[in-house]
């Protein structure tokens, strides 16, 4: 009936059943979703991001749920059905599913019907909708009392991205500002220490006829080499920190996949190099103000 509504390009029915899944003394209340084998509108992927074909028997679980329960593929888990004929059954875990919102189980549509000991039934439908026919679709849905609600994936995704963009942008700006200040502080402090330790030698070079530019080049060459050599370890440490944050923030409600683009490393290195250049300008000013007589009179 849903597939015949105006604007519907494709429709995939599925059923969700509330259950309590248990392994030993660890249990969680989840939804088991019965889906067709060739589902395309709401595709199921494994931990390697490959499509999963639901088996005729057994249960596919979220990888995070498997982590919580302490099970693996091939183990049996106990299922307390909380709908229909309530009973407890034991099912094997046949596949791991990679999802990023909530925890759930999935079964073949017919297998779920057999588990419930009922005829195949649906309580949800995924549809592909022609945007030009949206108004006619809404009018048709309003006249169907059996439809309790409609959720538009595109709108939900846009709202989620808008809400998340504010949070991520704010946090990113704060982190970038702190990183810039720390980078400048570290580089400038290193340059100041080097200048203080070698002030007498640099002043001696000035007395021997070296120009300010040549003296500055000697001091900053060391700073440039240290800055460039620090980039690869900094990339590795930054990736490790990102992985730690991503791991610690993962939970039953939401999880994220760690993706670090090449532009991130470029931006980080550019910030450090910019801080080094700014520090070089400050150090240059101090070298230009260097009092040769006072420095040479200073005892070691």
């Amino acid at each position: 009936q849903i597939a015949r509504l105006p604007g519907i390009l494709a429709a995939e029915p599925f059923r969700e059943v509330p259950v309590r899944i248990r392994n030993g003394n660890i249990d969680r209340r989840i939804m088991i979703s019965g889906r067709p084998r060739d589902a395309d509108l709401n595709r199921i992927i494994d931990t390697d991001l490959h499509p999963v074909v639901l088996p005729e028997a057994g249960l596919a679980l979220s990888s995070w749920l498997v982590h919580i329960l302490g099970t693996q593929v091939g183990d049996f888990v106990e299922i307390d059905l909380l709908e229909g004929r309530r009973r407890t059954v034991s099912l094997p875990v046949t596949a791991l599913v990679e999802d990023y919102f909530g925890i759930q189980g999935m079964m073949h549509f017919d297998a779920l019907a057999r588990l419930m000991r009922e005829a195949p039934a649906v309580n949800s439908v995924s549809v592909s909708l022609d945007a030009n026919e949206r108004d006619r679709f809404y009018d048709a849905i309003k006249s169907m009392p059996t439809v309790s609600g409609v959720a538009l994936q595109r709108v939900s995704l846009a709202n989620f991205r808008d809400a998340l963009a504010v949070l991520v942008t704010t946090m990113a700006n704060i982190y970038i500002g702190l990183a810039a200040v720390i980078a400048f502080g570290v580089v400038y402090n290193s340059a100041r220490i080097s200048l203080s330790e070698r002030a007498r030698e640099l002043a001696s070079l000035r007395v021997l006829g070296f120009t300010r530019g040549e003296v500055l080049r000697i001091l900053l060459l060391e700073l440039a080499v240290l800055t460039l050599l620090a980039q690869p370890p900094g990339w590795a440490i930054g990736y490790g920190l990102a992985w730690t944050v991503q791991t610690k923030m993962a939970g039953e409600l939401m999880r994220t996949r760690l993706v670090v683009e090449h532009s991130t490393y470029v931006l980080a290195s550019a910030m450090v190099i910019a801080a080094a250049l700014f520090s070089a300008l400050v150090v240059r000013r101090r070298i230009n103000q260097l009092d040769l007589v006072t420095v040479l009179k200073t005892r070691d």
Side-chain angles (χ1 to χ4, degrees):
Q1 185 178 2
I2 296 294
R4 293 194 296 268
L5 293 177
I8 298 298
L9 303 177
E12 291 179 357
F14 62 94
R15 181 183 182 182
E16 291 185 329
V17 176
V19 302
R20 185 177 300 278
I21 186 170
R22 182 171 55 253
N23 180 43
N25 61 345
I26 304 175
D27 65 90
R28 289 292 187 276
R29 182 166 179 166
I30 64 170
M31 301 291 289
I32 291 183
S33 178
R35 300 178 180 273
R37 176 183 293 272
D38 55 349
D40 184 61
L41 297 181
N42 194 352
R43 302 182 67 185
I44 307 171
I45 57 175
D46 60 15
T47 53
D48 295 323
L49 303 184
H50 297 147
V52 173
V53 178
L54 294 176
E56 292 290 343
L59 187 63
L61 295 179
S62 302
S63 58
W64 190 258
L65 178 58
V66 169
H67 170 72
I68 294 174
L69 297 177
T71 60
Q72 57 185 354
V73 175
D75 293 344
F76 280 78
V77 293
E78 294 184 352
I79 303 293
D80 297 332
L81 300 177
L82 304 180
E83 183 179 292
R85 301 178 182 178
R86 303 196 175 194
R87 57 195 181 92
T88 300
V89 297
S90 181
L91 294 176
V93 179
T94 56
L96 301 183
V97 176
E98 189 64 58
D99 51 2
Y100 300 102
F101 292 94
I103 51 177
Q104 61 178 328
M106 298 181 185
M107 298 181 65
H108 189 275
F109 186 79
D110 295 332
L112 181 59
R114 291 194 299 268
L115 178 67
M116 299 299 295
R117 295 180 178 177
E118 298 174 355
V122 301
N123 53 20
S124 301
V125 180
S126 297
V127 299
S128 176
L129 179 63
D130 185 355
N132 297 325
E133 299 289 337
R134 186 178 301 172
D135 293 337
R136 293 183 57 200
F137 171 75
Y138 287 157
D139 293 337
I141 285 293
K142 291 177 182 178
S143 62
M144 299 179 63
T146 55
V147 178
S148 60
V150 177
L152 298 179
Q153 186 181 52
R154 182 176 301 176
V155 175
S156 300
L157 184 59
N159 293 336
F160 173 77
R161 286 178 173 174
D162 291 340
L164 192 63
V166 176
L167 176 62
V168 172
T169 302
T170 302
M171 293 180 60
N173 290 335
I174 294 175
Y175 291 153
I176 290 174
L178 292 175
V181 172
I182 293 173
F184 170 75
V186 171
V187 176
Y188 177 68
N189 188 56
S190 176
R192 282 292 307 275
I193 293 175
S194 180
L195 177 60
S196 300
E197 292 177 345
R198 304 173 63 181
R200 187 177 181 85
E201 290 81 0
L202 296 176
S204 300
L205 293 176
R206 290 281 289 115
V207 172
L208 293 175
F210 281 71
T211 64
R212 291 177 178 177
E214 292 172 337
V215 173
L216 181 64
R217 192 179 304 116
I218 294 174
L219 180 63
L220 296 185
L221 181 61
E222 177 184 354
L223 178 63
V225 171
L226 291 177
T227 301
L228 294 177
L229 291 179
Q231 298 306 302
W235 297 337
I237 294 173
Y239 186 90
L241 290 175
W243 179 84
T244 301
V245 172
Q246 180 260 346
T247 302
K248 296 300 182 181
M249 292 184 64
E252 297 182 17
L253 180 61
M254 185 179 71
R255 298 164 296 281
T256 58
R257 189 176 183 87
L258 180 60
V259 178
V260 182
E261 299 181 351
H262 297 298
S263 59
T264 304
Y265 297 110
V266 174
L267 177 61
S269 296
M271 289 179 55
V272 174
I273 293 174
L277 293 176
F278 187 71
S279 301
L281 294 177
V282 178
V283 172
R284 176 186 178 184
R285 182 171 176 270
R286 296 188 64 87
I287 290 180
N288 292 338
Q289 296 175 349
L290 195 63
D291 189 342
L292 302 182
V293 177
T294 303
V295 173
L296 292 176
K297 285 183 177 180
T298 303
R299 295 183 178 180
D300 293 335

mmCIF file of all heavy atoms in Angstrom, residues 194-195 198 201-206 210-225 283 287:
data_model
loop_
_atom_site.group_PDB
_atom_site.id
_atom_site.type_symbol
_atom_site.label_atom_id
_atom_site.label_comp_id
_atom_site.label_asym_id
_atom_site.label_seq_id
_atom_site.Cartn_x
_atom_site.Cartn_y
_atom_site.Cartn_z
ATOM 1 N N SER A 194 68.099 29.962 23.617
ATOM 2 C CA SER A 194 69.280 29.870 22.759
ATOM 3 C C SER A 194 70.000 31.211 22.671
ATOM 4 O O SER A 194 71.238 31.273 22.696
ATOM 5 C CB SER A 194 68.862 29.394 21.365
ATOM 6 O OG SER A 194 69.978 29.301 20.509
ATOM 7 N N LEU A 195 69.243 32.293 22.586
ATOM 8 C CA LEU A 195 69.855 33.619 22.520
ATOM 9 C C LEU A 195 70.574 33.960 23.820
ATOM 10 O O LEU A 195 71.686 34.514 23.806
ATOM 11 C CB LEU A 195 68.778 34.662 22.220
ATOM 12 C CG LEU A 195 69.229 36.129 22.191
ATOM 13 C CD1 LEU A 195 70.295 36.336 21.111
ATOM 14 C CD2 LEU A 195 68.041 37.053 21.961
ATOM 15 N N ARG A 198 73.854 31.971 24.100
ATOM 16 C CA ARG A 198 74.880 32.246 23.090
ATOM 17 C C ARG A 198 75.045 33.738 22.824
ATOM 18 O O ARG A 198 75.590 34.127 21.789
ATOM 19 C CB ARG A 198 74.503 31.526 21.794
ATOM 20 C CG ARG A 198 74.314 30.027 21.987
ATOM 21 C CD ARG A 198 73.774 29.349 20.761
ATOM 22 N NE ARG A 198 74.691 29.442 19.642
ATOM 23 C CZ ARG A 198 74.450 28.941 18.433
ATOM 24 N NH1 ARG A 198 73.297 28.327 18.212
ATOM 25 N NH2 ARG A 198 75.326 29.068 17.458
ATOM 26 N N GLU A 201 78.765 34.705 22.411
ATOM 27 C CA GLU A 201 79.340 34.275 21.138
ATOM 28 C C GLU A 201 78.812 35.119 19.984
ATOM 29 O O GLU A 201 79.567 35.509 19.073
ATOM 30 C CB GLU A 201 79.024 32.800 20.889
ATOM 31 C CG GLU A 201 79.761 31.826 21.800
ATOM 32 C CD GLU A 201 79.107 31.703 23.162
ATOM 33 O OE1 GLU A 201 78.083 32.384 23.385
ATOM 34 O OE2 GLU A 201 79.623 30.949 24.000
ATOM 35 N N LEU A 202 77.513 35.416 20.022
ATOM 36 C CA LEU A 202 76.933 36.224 18.948
ATOM 37 C C LEU A 202 77.491 37.638 18.955
ATOM 38 O O LEU A 202 77.759 38.232 17.896
ATOM 39 C CB LEU A 202 75.403 36.251 19.096
ATOM 40 C CG LEU A 202 74.689 34.896 18.943
ATOM 41 C CD1 LEU A 202 73.195 35.057 19.214
ATOM 42 C CD2 LEU A 202 74.913 34.318 17.553
ATOM 43 N N ALA A 203 77.682 38.191 20.157
ATOM 44 C CA ALA A 203 78.264 39.527 20.246
ATOM 45 C C ALA A 203 79.707 39.522 19.743
ATOM 46 O O ALA A 203 80.159 40.484 19.085
ATOM 47 C CB ALA A 203 78.204 40.020 21.689
ATOM 48 N N SER A 204 80.430 38.452 20.046
ATOM 49 C CA SER A 204 81.807 38.347 19.560
ATOM 50 C C SER A 204 81.845 38.316 18.036
ATOM 51 O O SER A 204 82.721 38.919 17.401
ATOM 52 C CB SER A 204 82.471 37.091 20.134
ATOM 53 O OG SER A 204 82.501 37.139 21.553
ATOM 54 N N LEU A 205 80.896 37.614 17.432
ATOM 55 C CA LEU A 205 80.828 37.578 15.973
ATOM 56 C C LEU A 205 80.544 38.964 15.404
ATOM 57 O O LEU A 205 81.097 39.341 14.357
ATOM 58 C CB LEU A 205 79.738 36.589 15.529
ATOM 59 C CG LEU A 205 80.010 35.107 15.835
ATOM 60 C CD1 LEU A 205 78.812 34.256 15.421
ATOM 61 C CD2 LEU A 205 81.264 34.626 15.116
ATOM 62 N N ARG A 206 79.700 39.716 16.097
ATOM 63 C CA ARG A 206 79.413 41.077 15.633
ATOM 64 C C ARG A 206 80.670 41.939 15.694
ATOM 65 O O ARG A 206 80.951 42.729 14.784
ATOM 66 C CB ARG A 206 78.311 41.703 16.501
ATOM 67 C CG ARG A 206 76.948 41.103 16.291
ATOM 68 C CD ARG A 206 76.273 41.635 15.024
ATOM 69 N NE ARG A 206 75.887 43.026 15.208
ATOM 70 C CZ ARG A 206 76.391 44.044 14.535
ATOM 71 N NH1 ARG A 206 77.308 43.850 13.616
ATOM 72 N NH2 ARG A 206 75.979 45.291 14.759
ATOM 73 N N PHE A 210 80.846 40.346 11.620
ATOM 74 C CA PHE A 210 79.627 39.740 11.081
ATOM 75 C C PHE A 210 78.486 40.753 11.124
ATOM 76 O O PHE A 210 78.358 41.523 12.085
ATOM 77 C CB PHE A 210 79.238 38.505 11.899
ATOM 78 C CG PHE A 210 80.027 37.275 11.559
ATOM 79 C CD1 PHE A 210 81.369 37.170 11.926
ATOM 80 C CD2 PHE A 210 79.438 36.227 10.877
ATOM 81 C CE1 PHE A 210 82.094 36.046 11.618
ATOM 82 C CE2 PHE A 210 80.163 35.087 10.573
ATOM 83 C CZ PHE A 210 81.503 34.990 10.930
ATOM 84 N N THR A 211 77.681 40.749 10.097
ATOM 85 C CA THR A 211 76.531 41.650 10.070
ATOM 86 C C THR A 211 75.413 41.094 10.947
ATOM 87 O O THR A 211 75.440 39.928 11.359
ATOM 88 C CB THR A 211 76.011 41.827 8.638
ATOM 89 O OG1 THR A 211 75.520 40.559 8.157
ATOM 90 C CG2 THR A 211 77.116 42.330 7.717
ATOM 91 N N ARG A 212 74.415 41.946 11.212
ATOM 92 C CA ARG A 212 73.283 41.502 12.022
ATOM 93 C C ARG A 212 72.528 40.357 11.335
ATOM 94 O O ARG A 212 72.074 39.420 11.990
ATOM 95 C CB ARG A 212 72.337 42.673 12.269
ATOM 96 C CG ARG A 212 72.914 43.748 13.184
ATOM 97 C CD ARG A 212 71.949 44.909 13.315
ATOM 98 N NE ARG A 212 72.474 45.929 14.221
ATOM 99 C CZ ARG A 212 71.866 47.085 14.469
ATOM 100 N NH1 ARG A 212 70.711 47.364 13.860
ATOM 101 N NH2 ARG A 212 72.405 47.955 15.310
ATOM 102 N N GLY A 213 72.410 40.453 10.018
ATOM 103 C CA GLY A 213 71.721 39.395 9.285
ATOM 104 C C GLY A 213 72.438 38.067 9.373
ATOM 105 O O GLY A 213 71.808 37.016 9.514
ATOM 106 N N GLU A 214 73.768 38.080 9.301
ATOM 107 C CA GLU A 214 74.535 36.839 9.387
ATOM 108 C C GLU A 214 74.441 36.230 10.779
ATOM 109 O O GLU A 214 74.316 35.007 10.928
ATOM 110 C CB GLU A 214 75.994 37.118 9.017
ATOM 111 C CG GLU A 214 76.191 37.474 7.549
ATOM 112 C CD GLU A 214 77.598 37.936 7.253
ATOM 113 O OE1 GLU A 214 78.287 38.405 8.198
ATOM 114 O OE2 GLU A 214 78.020 37.841 6.090
ATOM 115 N N VAL A 215 74.491 37.073 11.798
ATOM 116 C CA VAL A 215 74.352 36.572 13.169
ATOM 117 C C VAL A 215 72.955 36.001 13.385
ATOM 118 O O VAL A 215 72.781 34.935 13.991
ATOM 119 C CB VAL A 215 74.642 37.698 14.180
ATOM 120 C CG1 VAL A 215 74.320 37.232 15.602
ATOM 121 C CG2 VAL A 215 76.092 38.137 14.086
ATOM 122 N N LEU A 216 71.962 36.714 12.876
ATOM 123 C CA LEU A 216 70.587 36.232 13.010
ATOM 124 C C LEU A 216 70.398 34.916 12.267
ATOM 125 O O LEU A 216 69.702 34.012 12.749
ATOM 126 C CB LEU A 216 69.621 37.287 12.476
ATOM 127 C CG LEU A 216 68.128 36.947 12.554
ATOM 128 C CD1 LEU A 216 67.692 36.820 14.008
ATOM 129 C CD2 LEU A 216 67.296 38.008 11.847
ATOM 130 N N ARG A 217 71.035 34.782 11.113
ATOM 131 C CA ARG A 217 70.904 33.553 10.333
ATOM 132 C C ARG A 217 71.482 32.360 11.087
ATOM 133 O O ARG A 217 70.934 31.259 11.044
ATOM 134 C CB ARG A 217 71.604 33.727 8.991
ATOM 135 C CG ARG A 217 71.296 32.620 7.991
ATOM 136 C CD ARG A 217 71.998 32.854 6.663
ATOM 137 N NE ARG A 217 71.653 34.157 6.113
ATOM 138 C CZ ARG A 217 72.528 35.138 5.935
ATOM 139 N NH1 ARG A 217 73.800 34.970 6.280
ATOM 140 N NH2 ARG A 217 72.151 36.284 5.416
ATOM 141 N N ILE A 218 72.582 32.564 11.779
ATOM 142 C CA ILE A 218 73.190 31.474 12.555
ATOM 143 C C ILE A 218 72.241 31.003 13.652
ATOM 144 O O ILE A 218 72.058 29.798 13.872
ATOM 145 C CB ILE A 218 74.530 31.944 13.160
ATOM 146 C CG1 ILE A 218 75.542 32.205 12.040
ATOM 147 C CG2 ILE A 218 75.069 30.908 14.136
ATOM 148 C CD1 ILE A 218 76.839 32.815 12.531
ATOM 149 N N LEU A 219 71.617 31.960 14.336
ATOM 150 C CA LEU A 219 70.721 31.604 15.442
ATOM 151 C C LEU A 219 69.438 30.951 14.937
ATOM 152 O O LEU A 219 68.974 29.948 15.488
ATOM 153 C CB LEU A 219 70.390 32.856 16.256
ATOM 154 C CG LEU A 219 69.445 32.652 17.452
ATOM 155 C CD1 LEU A 219 70.082 31.723 18.478
ATOM 156 C CD2 LEU A 219 69.088 33.985 18.084
ATOM 157 N N LEU A 220 68.874 31.506 13.874
ATOM 158 C CA LEU A 220 67.586 31.011 13.401
ATOM 159 C C LEU A 220 67.700 29.717 12.609
ATOM 160 O O LEU A 220 66.710 29.006 12.452
ATOM 161 C CB LEU A 220 66.900 32.082 12.547
ATOM 162 C CG LEU A 220 66.531 33.375 13.275
ATOM 163 C CD1 LEU A 220 65.755 34.296 12.347
ATOM 164 C CD2 LEU A 220 65.716 33.077 14.529
ATOM 165 N N LEU A 221 68.890 29.419 12.088
ATOM 166 C CA LEU A 221 69.055 28.163 11.363
ATOM 167 C C LEU A 221 68.814 26.977 12.288
ATOM 168 O O LEU A 221 68.154 26.002 11.918
ATOM 169 C CB LEU A 221 70.456 28.090 10.751
ATOM 170 C CG LEU A 221 70.752 26.823 9.933
ATOM 171 C CD1 LEU A 221 69.786 26.718 8.757
ATOM 172 C CD2 LEU A 221 72.200 26.827 9.446
ATOM 173 N N GLU A 222 69.346 27.079 13.493
ATOM 174 C CA GLU A 222 69.113 26.018 14.478
ATOM 175 C C GLU A 222 67.631 25.906 14.812
ATOM 176 O O GLU A 222 67.077 24.806 14.905
ATOM 177 C CB GLU A 222 69.915 26.307 15.739
ATOM 178 C CG GLU A 222 69.687 25.293 16.860
ATOM 179 C CD GLU A 222 70.417 25.660 18.132
ATOM 180 O OE1 GLU A 222 71.190 26.651 18.116
ATOM 181 O OE2 GLU A 222 70.209 24.969 19.150
ATOM 182 N N LEU A 223 66.975 27.053 14.976
ATOM 183 C CA LEU A 223 65.542 27.056 15.276
ATOM 184 C C LEU A 223 64.738 26.439 14.134
ATOM 185 O O LEU A 223 63.794 25.669 14.369
ATOM 186 C CB LEU A 223 65.085 28.492 15.537
ATOM 187 C CG LEU A 223 63.597 28.694 15.832
ATOM 188 C CD1 LEU A 223 63.209 27.985 17.116
ATOM 189 C CD2 LEU A 223 63.276 30.181 15.925
ATOM 190 N N ALA A 224 65.108 26.731 12.895
ATOM 191 C CA ALA A 224 64.388 26.189 11.740
ATOM 192 C C ALA A 224 64.549 24.676 11.651
ATOM 193 O O ALA A 224 63.588 23.948 11.373
ATOM 194 C CB ALA A 224 64.889 26.854 10.463
ATOM 195 N N VAL A 225 65.770 24.188 11.897
ATOM 196 C CA VAL A 225 66.007 22.741 11.830
ATOM 197 C C VAL A 225 65.196 22.014 12.896
ATOM 198 O O VAL A 225 64.559 20.983 12.631
ATOM 199 C CB VAL A 225 67.513 22.445 11.984
ATOM 200 C CG1 VAL A 225 67.745 20.941 12.127
ATOM 201 C CG2 VAL A 225 68.286 22.985 10.790
ATOM 202 N N VAL A 283 62.825 37.701 17.959
ATOM 203 C CA VAL A 283 64.234 37.477 18.289
ATOM 204 C C VAL A 283 65.127 38.421 17.484
ATOM 205 O O VAL A 283 66.146 38.926 17.987
ATOM 206 C CB VAL A 283 64.601 36.003 18.025
ATOM 207 C CG1 VAL A 283 66.102 35.787 18.169
ATOM 208 C CG2 VAL A 283 63.848 35.095 18.985
ATOM 209 N N ILE A 287 68.022 40.899 18.892
ATOM 210 C CA ILE A 287 69.414 40.877 18.433
ATOM 211 C C ILE A 287 69.841 42.264 17.967
ATOM 212 O O ILE A 287 70.975 42.705 18.211
ATOM 213 C CB ILE A 287 69.583 39.831 17.315
ATOM 214 C CG1 ILE A 287 69.465 38.413 17.895
ATOM 215 C CG2 ILE A 287 70.923 39.997 16.611
ATOM 216 C CD1 ILE A 287 69.617 37.321 16.872
#
